[in-house]
Amino acid sequence: MILALVALFIGLRLYAVLGERTGHEAPIMKPAEADKRVEAPATAAPVKGAGATPADMGDLAYLPTAGPGVRALLAADPTFDVARFLEGAKAAYRLILESYWKGDLASMRPHVDDHVYDTFASAVKDRDSSGLKLDNRLVAVEQAVIAGTEVDKVEALVTVRFEADIAAVTRNAEGEVVAGSLSDAVQTRDLWTFRRSLASNDPNWLLVETDEEE
């Protein structure tokens, strides 16, 4: 009975932070300060060469409303490659989520900004203090498309819409399941924003905000 009440309390706390999804995605962050940047995953870096377009890729790469922003980014940075960026964004999505679920803050640290890291760390601390562990599985990233782009003379912000299937389970200190099911994946839709300085030679991108699609 006590374990059930604890699980319910943690569930309500997660609901308030994460919104109406599986209850185990990344915490939602506000945009970070523009001057706070650390190295993003190398897989998320654009490569030299002409930027790919949806026609080049054969699949949807960005939403129609994001087209003008993508073209502005390509004009500002001819080395930006849409296809390579999205592959890197998916790799970062998986790495950061799995690190958060495991409580492995060190692995995610190089890929997120200070504010995002602090929010993740706080959520992990609250979870650990309650004796709960997440046994989540990212079953598949069904789609990753650019949903918005902002470009100025200093930096670029690219928001990616992820559609993924996640199986979520919460276990207590004894390893018993107190919430969720690994056999029942839930579809989630997240909006993650990445930033890169256009004035820097560093091609890597940094996660500065997460949100859920309304």
Side-chain angles (χ1 to χ4, degrees):
M1 185 62 180
I2 293 176
L3 288 175
L5 290 174
V6 170
L8 177 61
F9 173 74
I10 295 301
L12 291 174
R13 287 289 304 277
L14 288 172
Y15 178 89
V17 175
L18 308 182
E20 247 182 311
R21 293 177 289 169
T22 67
H24 303 293
E25 291 79 12
I28 297 173
M29 328 299 181
K30 295 181 179 179
E33 295 297 327
D35 60 346
K36 293 183 178 179
R37 193 176 70 85
V38 295
E39 183 181 2
T43 53
V47 295
K48 295 182 178 180
T53 66
D56 297 328
M57 297 166 60
D59 295 315
L60 179 66
Y62 51 82
L63 301 181
T65 53
V70 172
R71 289 189 287 272
L73 176 54
L74 289 169
D77 180 9
T79 68
F80 180 73
D81 186 289
V82 175
R84 185 64 176 271
F85 170 81
L86 287 174
E87 284 302 310
K90 287 193 289 186
Y93 182 74
R94 178 179 291 275
L95 182 152
I96 294 170
L97 278 184
E98 291 181 346
S99 296
Y100 166 65
W101 293 337
K102 295 175 184 176
D104 183 4
L105 297 173
S107 293
M108 74 164 66
R109 187 64 186 96
H111 313 309
V112 301
D113 119 298
D114 291 346
H115 173 72
V116 173
Y117 176 82
D118 289 344
T119 306
F120 274 116
S122 178
V124 170
K125 181 178 180 180
D126 288 346
R127 189 175 71 209
D128 289 347
S129 66
S130 299
L132 299 176
K133 295 184 180 297
L134 298 183
D135 185 14
N136 294 1
R137 301 287 187 275
L138 179 57
V139 179
V141 179
E142 299 292 346
Q143 188 182 60
V145 297
I146 295 176
T149 303
E150 297 180 26
V151 184
D152 58 29
K153 294 181 180 180
V154 178
E155 66 181 15
L157 292 170
V158 179
T159 298
V160 180
R161 177 187 183 274
F162 295 100
E163 186 172 306
D165 294 328
I166 295 175
V169 165
T170 301
R171 298 181 185 274
N172 59 20
E174 288 70 40
E176 300 169 331
V177 175
V178 296
S181 170
L182 287 177
S183 62
D184 186 18
V186 177
Q187 188 178 73
T188 65
R189 294 183 178 87
D190 295 307
L191 296 170
W192 283 24
T193 300
F194 299 88
R195 184 184 67 225
R196 186 177 77 81
S197 171
L198 296 177
S200 173
N201 292 326
D202 184 356
N204 295 315
W205 294 79
L206 181 74
L207 177 66
V208 297
E209 182 183 1
T210 73
D211 204 347
E212 63 175 310
E213 186 178 65
E214 296 180 356

